[in-house]
Amino acid sequence: MLRLLQGRGPRGAAGLGATAVFAIPLFTANLHTRLFANILILGVLSMSLYITWTLGGVLSLGQAAFFGLGAYSAAISTVRLDGALWGVGLPLAAIAVSAVLAILIWAVAATTKLSEFTFAMITLIVVVLAQVLVNSSGPFGGGTSGIAGIPSLSIFGMRGAQVAYVLALAVSVVAILVVRTLERSALGVVLTAMSGNETRARVCGYRVDVYKGVAFAVGAMLATFAGYLYARQNGLVTPSLVGFDMSAAVIIWLVIGGRWSLFGPFLGVFLVRMFQFLLAEAAPETYAAITAVAFIAMIWFFPGGAAAGLRRAWDAVSTRTKPKVKAAVS
Amino acid sequence: MLTLLGDTLSSIAVLFLVSSGLAVIFGVLRIINFAHGDFVMVGAFASVISQEWGLGFALSIVFAMVVVAGLSVGLQALGLARTGLDMTVGLLVTWAYGTLIRSMVAAIFGPQARFADQPFPGRVTALGGTIPYYVLFVFAAALVVAAVLFVVFVKTDFGRRLRATVCDRQMAAGVGINTGGVTFGALAAAGALAGLAGALIAPMVSVNAYMGFAYIVRAFLVVVLGGLGSVVGAGGGAVVIGGAETLVSRAMSALLAQVVIFLFVAAALVFRARLERN
């Protein structure tokens, strides 16, 4: 308690600093503002995997299928269909479909031995299937070229890169707060107990399978919502949003950012996207190879990812400013 | 009609060759080797490249098998065993290795597709259809591989040790089996199988660095259907998946074929679980 109070100084400064940092994209060129807005929305997508994998304890290889479902619901409801009813109804229906699909997938996987493996495989197949479906969807679904001309969301009639960024930032903050609340709720406590020792949680009478399914369904719904926002923000959906490559990217972001921290999902997207931005000139193979090596290194040597590294640095700084407290405690 | 039969046979043969290696690796390491599709790709590349060097077809197959067996053992040395028993981490690490292999092959050999020599030109024509001789050869090769695997597993000393290790690693080590050596041998064998699969596939497809993914997804389906770590299951699964996919995609559409297989596997999983419970 004492340490917490003493830590107020650097904490307050960090809060101010963070606010300033997050205001920067409002004043950059539109291109960069959009880049940061995208990073935030993709961070929300990673957050959906955080819910499924970190909280639920099952690795989904199919987040892109739900993301794509949301993105295509945005495209079809605005470009292909007319009317406010479709505009709101279809995305909501997409989110509901995601939840049902997620529960079905988990229900099949949970019946088997080695359910985690079966789950990974089924989600992999779903995402491959989703890609085939989108690619062969014909003129209505845009086929291989996708659907362009999706109108952006507006706040009080205002549109543009800055509006998109503010919206993305707001959604990200809400997502973090909601997941934080979820973690601290009764459900979150059970999920934490499960990830600590699954057998013990089961022996204590918790229906582990049901909780995992719920976590997966919540993650799927969030991924769908992120897909909807992403499409509205970029005005374009293509089959590359669906498919295994996208799912793999989500896993990479979360592992690199740190899958034990709420900020990890966002940090991961930020780091990978910035790296991609710097390497824009290099061949895609070089980029893929470096990412793969970084990914393996992260898994082996820094399972906590960048967020854990930052955390350690932060602890080092905040204790160094108060050496006496540290001495008193130890 | 005969053409359809030929396509089905080659699809089944290829699937069996790819998934049997996957099943062997899972058996000894309890790891789903996501890089297995890229192993197959490396096998295909090795055979094409060695043919460009002037090696004959038979030697190019041997070369591919040796290269991929080396790769498989080498990756193990690079720490596959280190991931221990965590299946999720194993999946991710092998997937990253696959990406690394893929990008290196693309960087070294370029993105363009390559084509292997056709070792047995000509085809059987009958009943209003054709089967290339090569497809018959691949199917026969798959049958031979299945027979050899069976004999090795059931009759030889190595096979007995391998099965003991798969069954219970600690127990096997306890009765004096060198489980490390068995693992080494199994990995080499799985790599050789992937290399063989790649070399046999090469004359039928365009060989490029990104060809592995299509095989790994279907091989996963096969092992999910056939039961993990079971080579016999891999054979049965290959017949069902390869057969159903080819038939449905020819009769109706490729999309429908994917959907049918997917539903089939889901139904089989639920059904098998119910069977096991009773």
Side-chain angles (χ1 to χ4, degrees):
Chain A
M1 194 64 206
L2 187 69
R3 273 179 87 182
L4 202 70
L5 284 175
Q6 301 275 9
R8 211 173 203 170
R11 190 168 284 217
L16 270 179
T19 312
V21 166
F22 282 109
I24 291 175
L26 287 175
F27 305 102
T28 55
N30 275 355
L31 178 74
H32 297 143
T33 312
R34 285 192 187 282
L35 175 70
F36 285 109
N38 274 345
I39 287 176
L40 287 170
I41 291 300
L42 294 176
V44 174
L45 172 61
S46 309
M47 190 64 117
S48 78
L49 185 66
Y50 174 90
I51 296 173
T52 304
W53 190 18
T54 307
L55 298 183
V58 285
L59 174 62
S60 158
L61 303 181
Q63 290 310 93
F66 303 113
F67 185 68
L69 186 64
Y72 273 83
S73 80
I76 289 172
S77 66
T78 54
V79 179
R80 295 283 188 257
L81 303 168
D82 223 13
L85 194 63
W86 282 120
V88 181
L90 198 64
L92 285 180
I95 292 179
V97 166
S98 288
V100 173
L101 189 63
I103 289 170
L104 274 179
I105 291 173
W106 177 250
V108 170
T111 56
T112 63
K113 290 179 195 167
L114 297 172
S115 56
E116 277 166 45
F117 165 72
T118 316
F119 176 74
M121 290 305 109
I122 295 183
T123 50
L124 172 69
I125 296 157
V126 165
V127 85
V128 170
L129 209 59
Q131 196 173 28
V132 176
L133 185 71
V134 167
N135 273 323
S136 56
S137 59
F140 185 77
T144 47
S145 50
I147 301 175
I150 304 161
S152 61
L153 288 171
S154 62
I155 304 179
F156 304 122
M158 295 182 296
R159 288 166 198 274
Q162 283 77 19
V163 174
Y165 177 75
V166 170
L167 202 62
L169 191 59
V171 170
S172 306
V173 170
V174 170
I176 289 179
L177 290 178
V178 166
V179 176
R180 208 170 87 121
T181 313
L182 184 79
E183 276 184 335
R184 295 180 180 186
S185 69
L187 175 66
V189 172
V190 177
L191 290 174
T192 311
M194 244 168 57
S195 70
N197 187 332
E198 195 181 314
T199 314
R200 189 185 297 162
R202 185 176 289 130
V203 172
C204 287
Y206 290 103
R207 298 188 61 187
V208 169
D209 282 347
V210 174
Y211 283 101
K212 287 185 168 189
V214 168
F216 178 44
V218 172
M221 288 160 76
L222 186 62
T224 312
F225 183 54
Y228 173 79
L229 291 175
Y230 189 82
R232 292 301 294 258
Q233 192 165 289
N234 289 282
L236 171 74
V237 291
T238 57
S240 66
L241 296 183
V242 196
F244 179 67
D245 287 345
M246 189 70 187
S247 279
V250 182
I251 297 171
I252 294 177
W253 295 331
L254 192 54
V255 166
I256 288 185
R259 67 190 177 98
W260 305 113
S261 160
L262 271 175
F263 301 99
F266 294 90
L267 201 58
V269 182
F270 175 75
L271 290 174
V272 173
R273 276 291 155 122
M274 284 295 126
F275 178 64
Q276 217 169 1
F277 197 69
L278 292 176
L279 264 190
E281 304 286 308
E285 293 87 46
T286 318
Y287 167 73
I290 295 176
T291 314
V293 171
F295 182 81
I296 297 171
M298 277 291 181
I299 285 198
W300 280 351
F301 304 117
F302 311 100
L310 274 187
R311 176 95 222 171
R312 215 170 296 159
W314 165 254
D315 285 348
V317 169
S318 52
T319 46
R320 194 175 304 152
T321 48
K322 300 282 175 211
K324 276 182 184 169
V325 176
K326 194 183 174 192
V329 169
S330 60
Chain B
M1 192 63 210
L2 205 61
T3 315
L4 191 63
L5 180 69
D7 290 344
T8 314
L9 288 184
S10 72
S11 170
I12 290 172
V14 165
L15 265 185
F16 170 69
L17 289 171
V18 176
S19 7
S20 55
L22 202 62
V24 169
I25 293 192
F26 181 81
V28 288
L29 281 185
R30 300 278 141 184
I31 273 181
I32 315 297
N33 184 17
F34 219 123
H36 202 71
D38 299 294
F39 282 10
V40 172
M41 179 273 291
V42 171
F45 255 94
S47 91
V48 172
I49 300 293
S50 63
Q51 284 177 20
E52 284 174 10
W53 291 340
L55 254 58
F57 178 65
L59 277 179
S60 78
I61 290 181
V62 174
F63 180 70
M65 289 171 75
V66 171
V67 165
V68 183
L71 185 67
S72 174
V73 172
L75 282 191
Q76 151 81 356
L78 265 177
L80 269 190
R82 188 175 165 169
T83 55
L85 292 175
D86 190 325
M87 199 179 285
T88 310
V89 174
L91 196 71
L92 290 178
V93 170
T94 51
W95 168 72
Y97 275 134
T99 309
L100 196 58
I101 295 170
R102 203 155 52 234
S103 49
M104 277 161 74
V105 168
I108 295 169
F109 296 105
Q112 75 278 16
R114 282 158 192 262
F115 297 91
D117 299 334
Q118 198 54 251
F120 307 114
R123 49 193 62 222
V124 187
T125 309
L127 301 168
T130 57
I131 301 183
Y133 286 137
Y134 187 70
V135 165
L136 294 177
F137 169 74
V138 170
F139 192 72
L143 287 180
V144 170
V145 168
V148 168
L149 282 179
F150 184 77
V151 170
V152 168
F153 277 5
V154 177
K155 297 282 177 198
T156 66
D157 195 39
F158 174 74
R160 291 196 189 96
R161 287 173 192 206
L162 181 66
R163 281 186 295 143
T165 310
V166 168
C167 187
D168 189 329
R169 198 183 184 89
Q170 266 184 318
M171 194 65 210
V175 296
I177 293 174
N178 176 6
T179 50
V182 168
T183 305
F184 183 88
L187 278 169
L193 277 172
L196 176 66
L200 289 176
I201 289 166
M204 299 192 282
V205 295
S206 72
V207 176
N208 67 70
Y210 302 98
M211 65 186 273
F213 188 68
Y215 294 108
I216 194 68
V217 171
R218 284 188 297 162
F220 279 153
L221 279 172
V222 168
V223 294
V224 166
L225 193 63
L228 282 160
S230 155
V231 176
V232 178
V239 171
V240 173
I241 301 280
E245 183 176 25
T246 317
L247 292 176
V248 178
S249 68
R250 288 301 139 84
M252 285 168 266
S253 77
L255 174 64
L256 201 63
Q258 303 284 335
V259 175
V260 165
I261 290 173
F262 175 56
L263 293 177
F264 197 82
V265 170
L269 285 176
V270 174
F271 183 71
R272 199 170 62 197
R274 189 151 300 167
L275 217 64
E276 277 164 5
R277 212 172 295 148
N278 290 342

